[in-house]
Amino acid sequence: MTSPRHDYSVVIPAHNEAAVIERCLRAVMDDPQGMGEIIVACNGCTDDTAAIARRIAPQAKVLEIAKGSKILALNQGNAAASATPRFFVDADIVVSGKALRALAEKLDDSTEIRAAAPALNVDLTGCSAPVRSYYKVWMQQPYVRVGMVGSGFFGLSAKGLEAVGTFPDIIADDLYVRTRFAPEQRARVERDGAGAPISFTVFPPRDLKTLVRIEGRRRAGDMQLDQAHATDHSKRTTTGGTLLSALGKDGVGLIDLGWYMIIKTVGRISARRKVKAKQPIAWARDDSSRVS
């Protein structure tokens, strides 16, 4: 029997994501024109992630990888996928199949766009005041507003996949993808062909302690990437000027900017200590936001 031909593929790396994998899959499957190919790359799972994925999406390819490794999951999931464009979606992200189809149209290889993502929505439900302040400022930075690719989601055309190649064994996979492309090759797509808004939703840490820990891991991953895989597009986009320009936008005030600077500074110090001590850079998982 011939396998159905798909318009796009979705790769979902998942490590012990039983609490959120159903939410992710039900959103991805929401495409009235027909679902894309779905690959759930379970890695190092000791919970029911794989069983839930098979129950919710029986048509999906569910891989069970013994080792817990997001990079291994990305590479094996990518190898198992057959269609392009190809989307890589963290299991705790929510993005609809309708949004994926709209993006697939933008990632046609007849255009210069190689990597794309919808508009980013941050669900701050239950977050503490410092976390809310941090994200109010972060959402105004060029990383998010100009050609945003990352934060748990990126889509690649066939040529984009070729440029990215095999994912290296690093922490900052999102930034690795982003820095393979010039700004004009990346796109933030806010509306579909009919003009309806499209977005994807992330669920940040709910408390300050977890956010600081995640920020330290993120910064260490950025340093690791700069050392081994820097490109002409690796220059940081957040500057003193972009931070000051955030004031007054969407209610951003001095207190918000203060919390943002404190969290960034503590994270940077933590990362530098780890790198200086030659400590291994490990994934720092956020369980505070992983609720069904």
Side-chain angles (χ1 to χ4, degrees):
M1 182 177 178
T2 304
S3 298
R5 188 165 178 235
H6 296 284
D7 298 326
Y8 59 85
S9 293
V10 187
V11 176
I12 305 172
H15 171 69
N16 287 342
E17 300 287 9
V20 294
I21 190 65
E22 179 174 350
R23 179 182 69 186
C24 177
L25 286 170
R26 290 201 182 280
V28 165
M29 292 162 61
D30 179 17
D31 183 353
Q33 297 185 49
M35 289 174 284
E37 178 184 46
I38 301 172
I39 298 95
V40 183
C42 303
N43 60 101
C45 292
T46 57
D47 65 2
D48 295 331
T49 300
I52 295 171
R54 289 191 176 100
R55 174 172 57 83
I56 300 301
Q59 79 284 10
K61 297 179 184 177
V62 179
L63 312 180
E64 295 196 58
I65 304 165
K67 182 180 179 181
S69 166
K70 183 179 181 182
I71 295 301
L72 190 60
L74 288 172
N75 283 323
Q76 290 199 19
N78 189 33
S82 62
T84 54
R86 196 157 299 161
F87 301 103
F88 297 84
V89 182
D90 284 2
D92 60 334
I93 298 294
V94 170
V95 61
S96 73
K98 288 179 286 190
L100 296 178
R101 184 167 294 280
L103 277 178
E105 295 173 1
K106 294 290 185 180
L107 286 168
D108 186 285
D109 274 324
S110 64
T111 72
E112 287 301 310
I113 302 302
R114 301 286 184 266
L120 172 62
N121 175 51
V122 179
D123 187 332
L124 294 171
T125 304
C127 290
S128 65
V131 174
R132 288 174 175 271
S133 289
Y134 174 93
Y135 278 97
K136 283 170 67 175
V137 177
W138 184 76
M139 287 288 289
Q140 299 302 320
Q141 299 311 301
Y143 173 83
V144 175
R145 306 196 71 83
V146 181
M148 206 291 293
V149 174
S151 293
F153 179 100
F154 49 86
L156 299 172
S157 68
K159 291 180 181 178
L161 279 168
E162 184 179 350
V164 168
T166 301
F167 291 93
D169 189 13
I170 56 174
I171 297 296
D173 57 291
D174 285 348
L175 190 60
Y176 173 79
V177 170
R178 180 185 176 91
T179 54
R180 300 311 97 183
F181 304 101
E184 61 270 18
Q185 295 177 310
R186 295 184 273 108
R188 166 176 158 148
V189 182
E190 299 188 2
R191 295 187 179 276
D192 64 16
I198 60 171
S199 65
F200 74 102
T201 302
V202 301
F203 302 83
R206 276 11 190 179
D207 58 86
L208 177 61
K209 182 179 179 180
T210 305
L211 177 56
V212 168
R213 181 168 56 86
I214 296 296
E215 182 60 37
R217 185 268 295 168
R218 183 184 299 144
R219 182 58 181 160
D222 292 353
M223 294 168 68
Q224 179 191 44
L225 182 66
D226 285 342
Q227 291 173 0
H229 302 282
T231 71
D232 293 340
H233 314 303
S234 297
K235 184 178 179 181
R236 295 288 176 266
T237 56
T238 299
T239 65
T242 64
L243 290 176
L244 288 175
S245 69
L247 288 171
K249 296 179 180 177
D250 290 339
V252 174
L254 287 173
I255 292 177
D256 303 314
L257 190 59
W259 273 117
Y260 181 90
M261 295 300 297
I262 289 170
I263 292 166
K264 282 290 186 183
T265 300
V266 174
R268 187 179 302 114
I269 292 171
S270 172
R272 286 177 176 172
R273 285 176 177 172
K274 287 183 178 180
V275 171
K276 186 175 181 180
K278 296 183 179 180
Q279 296 177 359
I281 302 174
W283 292 99
R285 180 184 172 92
D286 167 33
D287 287 317
S288 68
S289 63
R290 279 173 164 80
V291 293
S292 57

